Amino acid sequence: MRRAGGGGFGTGARIRWLGLALALPGLVIAAHLALLMVGQHAAWLERSYRNRWVFKDVPARRGALLDRDGVLLADDQPAFALSLHFREFRRGDPVGVAVHGANLAAKAEGLTDNRYRLVRGAHGPRAAFARMMALPWAWLQRQGIPAELSRDLRFYAAALLGGLLEIGRSRGFQRLDAPPVAGAAAAPGAPLTLADALGADDVAALRAAFAERLIELERLDVAVRGAGARRGLWQVLEQQRQRLWLQPEAEDVLFTLARRLEYDVAVRVALQAERHPGLTLQPTVQRYFGRVPGRDDLASLQAFVGIVRPFWREDREAIDEQVEAVLEGPVLAGLVPRNPDLPDTFQQRLARVARQRVSLHYQLQGRMGKGGLERAFDGWLAGDPGLRLVEKDRRAQERGLWSALQVSPGRPLRTTFDLELQRHLEDALDANPCGTHMAAALIDPRTGEIRALGWRPLPAPGETMWRTPATHWPKSGMIGSVAKPFVLLEQLDAMRRGRPHQAPIEFRECGGKRSYPVRGLTRPLGCSGTHGALATDPVMALAKSCNVFYYQAAAGLGEGALRRAFARAGWTPDAPTEQTSLTGMSLARCTYTTATLREQRAIGYGTQANVLHVARAYAALATGALPRLRVVAADGAAPQRLDVHPDDLAAARAGMRACVNGGTARNVVGLAELLVLAKTGTAEISTKTRANNAWFAGYLTEARPTLAFAAVAYSVPDGQHGAEAAGHLIADVLRAVQRDPTLRERYVPGVGGE
């Protein structure tokens, strides 16, 4: 019998239905968990590893560049980069806050919102601070101006109070919401201002704190400029403010102020980080370039050393090549751990993430050499970054290392330069201002290794440095009489081998200017001196630089032999020994033109070369073999024999010795004592301006050649010759070598000091 009003269910039935209702969701949850644990185990395991595993890159240190004695030319050094985030600066630094708040106040008055600036002057930060102190108190209480403008002014006023009084922005708002100090009153007829509401004591404290912040920024400006930045702190701040005014979205871009901040400045910024909102220190590695002793930089050598710059957007292809080189097949396979529980897609994803991480490393931190040795040996110097696959905990802290690609630092590179010798060359160039351009080179005559190389003028900051007066002549590079020893060698070789020639004994005597008529010329050729019978003596004709001797030699030798004479020196474009490049630098190709009269070509007209070409040729006169120029000891091929008889080579050397001892170089002091063999040269390059190229080339010492040299002063006035304009420059260097005990032992052993 049922109870009246019963629903047909007893208590037990209701409990069973309730239990079933509760069990069904549990069964659904259990089934879903089973599906997750069994059916989707791999997918969720992969997601777990994605959250816990991350690749971290380790930057490589670039290899050092050294001179021949191991002195640093360039090296990586740890440094601190200082960056600016302008949005944080204008919202957090009291100086930035004052300027932007003052501009908002000007806008509220109906004036321009670009009145106050981050510059020294009438509308600079001090004026902006004064304008903020004069803000009407009613504006800060949301009265008298639009609500949005009042809200912004309250923000900047609170930030200014909080920053200067070091109480924080929130308490700055509390000061604005509190009643004015007791007895606060405005001047008669004027509204109550922020300064009135705060009181005299607080305003004095604010003014002193603001002045202190300005001093700190001034010091930072000096430090930024001292770190070699192209623009100072104030200049960047104002540029960023103007940029914000025109492009509001641009203020979130991080701008690098200085890439190499002095350590003491970096420490001060780090310890007072809360006082410099928007300024960020980033540990980094910067390329440090050494200096020639006694100078502030590498002077002429900077062009050959090159520079190091970050990868740019257009270097994407180079970045991809670097990534492929670092993560070649086996390396990448070793980085990606093999887990049989994970699908192949996850292994592929890890490989893809590794590539992306290395690519991002090169985009953000990668550097490449530009010009000179930094570019030529970039792969040797750069090294490869490392990569670590680490596991993180839920607080993003590392707790395990799964795999690692060891960082591969760049390797050092030793060059052939001798910085002490370079110092003396730079000093000599500074002391001999002849012509509009000058250049000089000193090389090892046996190996072609460049020991010192200099020129003037040096490039101004920002100018392209890769084309120099030592590698490319400015207008005309005609070499003049320094060509004569090679014409003499061809003359003597033709006599020895029975090739066409005219015997010197049959040459006419030298009668001076306009004494040698040539068919087809209305005006006879001539010689700068009147050498008489010396024009028939090969040795003395070279010593006195007698043109008449060489006119007649060219007439007897013929076209082919004359070209062979210049090819032997490496001065013709078709010569197998021609050298048009040097590691990291290009060299202008020598020119040899048949358009110039053959007789004039025999005295160096129509042939153009630079000091490196000429020094190299004179190294061949010293050793009998033409070396290949090099700036790295292991670079270059074996010297090329001149293929002339030793007696003929001895005759050319005798002429160069006589040039120093009584010939055209007799007035260059100190050469004879050092046993120098040399030749002067003067080439008229303009009949209109009567300008000349003045040359001097040779080697020391006669018994043991240690240095071959060449110097040129381009476009010197008429009347200046090779001995005066270029010879004295080389003599200055060699005398300095003689005074230096180390260099004397190295280059002129057996010759005493002064």
Side-chain angles (χ1 to χ4, degrees):
M1 181 176 176
R2 291 196 234 171
R3 291 181 182 178
F9 292 97
T11 301
R14 285 197 293 271
I15 291 174
R16 285 193 296 273
W17 280 105
L18 180 61
L20 181 62
L22 294 174
L24 281 175
L27 289 173
V28 172
I29 292 173
H32 182 64
L33 290 175
L35 178 64
L36 291 178
M37 296 174 64
V38 179
Q40 300 181 12
H41 170 74
W44 285 97
L45 182 62
E46 176 181 342
R47 181 172 295 185
S48 172
Y49 280 127
R50 285 189 190 182
N51 292 333
R52 293 186 290 128
W53 287 5
V54 63
F55 279 110
K56 292 191 173 183
D57 57 298
V58 183
R61 182 167 178 168
R62 193 173 179 88
L65 278 168
L66 313 168
D67 86 335
R68 62 171 297 183
D69 296 318
V71 181
L72 284 174
L73 299 177
D75 190 23
D76 269 6
Q77 292 188 357
F80 290 94
L82 183 65
S83 301
L84 170 69
H85 190 277
F86 191 70
R87 185 174 187 272
E88 293 182 10
F89 176 81
R90 73 171 176 85
R91 292 167 61 91
D93 190 285
V95 175
V97 166
V99 169
H100 284 268
N103 278 323
L104 281 177
K107 181 180 180 180
E109 293 176 338
L111 304 174
T112 176
D113 59 351
N114 194 29
R115 178 181 178 83
Y116 297 95
R117 307 188 175 193
L118 288 163
V119 295
R120 305 175 182 89
H123 296 95
R126 293 183 185 277
F129 174 78
R131 182 67 189 85
M132 289 294 290
M133 291 295 99
L135 280 175
W137 183 252
W139 289 4
L140 300 175
Q141 308 308 312
R142 305 179 182 86
Q143 301 171 14
I145 56 174
E148 182 178 355
L149 195 54
S150 175
R151 182 199 64 198
D152 291 344
L153 278 174
R154 280 175 55 82
F155 172 87
Y156 282 104
L160 187 64
L161 297 180
L164 292 178
L165 299 178
E166 299 183 359
I167 58 176
R169 187 180 299 158
S170 59
R171 292 192 61 187
F173 276 112
Q174 293 177 12
R175 293 293 300 270
L176 295 180
D177 292 334
V181 295
L192 188 70
T193 66
L194 175 60
D196 298 329
L198 293 174
D201 291 342
D202 277 348
V203 171
L206 288 169
R207 187 175 291 111
F210 190 79
E212 187 177 346
R213 292 300 184 98
L214 279 178
I215 292 173
E216 290 177 3
L217 289 181
E218 290 285 355
R219 289 173 178 168
L220 267 179
D221 179 63
V222 173
V224 167
R225 293 180 184 276
R230 296 176 62 184
R231 289 173 284 184
L233 175 62
W234 287 112
Q235 185 179 2
V236 172
L237 287 173
E238 178 56 21
Q239 287 176 345
Q240 294 296 98
R241 192 196 68 81
Q242 292 284 358
R243 190 178 180 189
L244 167 65
W245 192 61
L246 298 172
Q247 300 173 314
E249 70 281 359
E251 68 172 344
D252 283 322
V253 178
L254 202 64
F255 185 91
T256 302
L257 287 165
R259 298 189 180 277
R260 191 187 301 159
L261 204 63
E262 292 293 334
Y263 179 76
D264 58 338
V265 179
V267 169
R268 190 164 65 246
V269 173
L271 292 177
Q272 298 180 334
E274 73 284 352
R275 294 177 66 85
H276 302 289
L279 295 178
T280 304
L281 276 177
Q282 297 169 310
T284 183
V285 175
Q286 293 297 326
R287 198 64 166 168
Y288 167 81
F289 291 98
R291 60 190 63 185
V292 173
R295 309 185 79 85
D296 294 331
D297 53 26
L298 284 174
S300 305
L301 291 187
Q302 184 66 68
F304 272 80
V305 170
I307 60 175
V308 176
R309 66 164 176 81
F311 279 103
W312 293 337
R313 193 172 293 174
E314 55 266 31
D315 297 320
R316 185 70 211 190
E317 185 176 342
I319 292 176
D320 292 341
E321 291 176 359
Q322 294 276 19
V323 173
E324 291 300 321
V326 172
L327 296 178
E328 55 185 352
V331 175
L332 185 59
L335 266 177
V336 179
R338 295 297 174 185
N339 189 330
D341 295 331
L342 292 174
D344 291 341
T345 54
F346 182 62
Q347 316 293 333
Q348 296 167 3
R349 180 184 181 277
L350 274 181
R352 188 170 61 254
V353 170
R355 291 179 185 277
Q356 292 172 350
R357 184 68 228 183
V358 175
S359 178
L360 187 63
H361 166 83
Y362 280 113
Q363 293 176 46
L364 298 180
Q365 301 183 55
R367 296 169 296 154
M368 66 185 299
K370 180 181 180 182
L373 295 170
E374 294 281 12
R375 177 57 181 161
F377 287 91
D378 191 62
W380 177 279
L381 295 167
D384 296 324
L387 202 62
R388 299 184 301 130
L389 180 59
V390 301
E391 184 176 357
K392 302 183 301 180
D393 59 21
R394 62 183 181 181
R395 294 190 300 272
Q397 301 295 318
E398 291 185 24
R399 74 175 192 182
L401 175 67
W402 281 96
S403 61
L405 169 63
Q406 294 299 321
V407 63
S408 177
R411 291 167 286 182
L413 183 69
R414 192 177 293 266
T415 68
T416 65
F417 298 117
D418 185 330
L419 280 191
E420 281 296 332
L421 186 61
Q422 183 72 31
R423 170 170 70 95
H424 295 309
L425 176 56
E426 298 287 352
D427 292 344
L429 284 165
D430 288 339
N432 289 272
C434 297
T436 56
H437 293 80
M438 298 183 69
L442 296 100
I443 70 173
D444 186 317
R446 296 160 297 178
T447 63
E449 296 177 353
I450 299 175
R451 297 294 180 225
L453 183 66
W455 56 83
R456 294 294 184 271
L458 293 174
E463 288 184 0
T464 301
M465 65 175 68
W466 319 122
R467 288 177 63 93
T468 75
T471 59
H472 297 74
W473 43 88
K475 293 181 180 178
S476 169
M478 283 193 289
I479 61 177
S481 294
V482 292
K484 289 177 179 177
F486 290 91
V487 178
L488 175 60
L489 285 178
E490 186 61 32
Q491 168 72 25
L492 298 176
D493 193 54
M495 294 168 59
R496 186 174 300 277
R497 302 191 188 210
R499 289 197 295 262
H501 70 280
Q502 182 181 356
I505 195 66
E506 300 172 357
F507 286 1
R508 70 170 65 187
E509 294 185 359
C510 173
K513 295 181 179 180
R514 302 185 184 181
S515 65
Y516 187 80
V518 176
R519 182 181 299 177
L521 287 184
T522 58
R523 189 175 69 172
L525 299 176
C527 188
S528 58
T530 303
H531 302 116
L534 291 183
T536 64
D537 181 343
V539 171
M540 293 310 299
L542 182 61
K544 296 293 186 179
S545 200
C546 180
N547 290 347
V548 173
F549 175 92
Y550 290 92
Y551 295 151
Q552 296 174 86
L557 289 172
E559 186 62 49
L562 195 60
R563 191 178 191 95
R564 185 166 52 247
F566 286 87
R568 186 176 281 122
W571 292 337
T572 58
D574 57 350
T577 53
E578 182 196 19
Q579 186 171 353
T580 59
S581 65
L582 194 60
T583 306
M585 291 286 282
S586 65
L587 302 178
R589 298 194 68 175
C590 297
T591 64
Y592 176 82
T593 174
T594 56
T596 304
L597 192 68
R598 186 192 307 169
E599 285 81 357
Q600 290 181 305
R601 270 182 280 144
I603 63 171
Y605 286 85
T607 297
Q608 298 184 95
N610 59 40
V611 289
L612 286 166
H613 294 138
V614 175
R616 176 184 180 227
Y618 273 74
L621 293 175
T623 64
L626 187 68
R628 185 165 183 82
L629 294 169
R630 59 187 79 177
V631 291
V632 177
D635 182 36
Q640 181 70 37
R641 301 300 302 178
L642 284 183
D643 190 27
V644 295
H645 195 277
D647 290 345
D648 297 340
L649 194 56
R653 292 170 180 167
M656 295 166 61
R657 185 185 313 114
C659 177
V660 173
N661 293 275
T664 54
R666 62 188 179 278
N667 293 326
V668 183
V669 178
L671 298 183
E673 292 81 356
L674 286 172
L675 307 181
V676 170
L677 277 64
K679 180 71 186 78
T680 60
T682 305
E684 184 179 331
I685 60 173
S686 173
T687 56
K688 183 177 180 180
T689 62
R690 297 181 64 79
N692 302 325
N693 287 343
W695 286 87
F696 190 72
Y699 66 92
L700 88 159
T701 63
E702 181 178 1
R704 178 191 163 191
T706 56
L707 284 176
F709 54 79
V712 59
Y714 292 106
S715 302
V716 298
D718 185 41
Q720 290 192 22
H721 303 283
E724 295 86 11
H728 288 300
L729 187 152
I730 292 295
D732 286 348
V733 177
L734 298 185
R735 283 196 295 270
V737 168
Q738 190 179 12
R739 289 192 296 266
D740 187 310
T742 301
L743 296 183
R744 183 171 66 248
E745 180 62 28
R746 181 176 292 170
Y747 297 116
V748 284
V751 179
E754 290 184 348

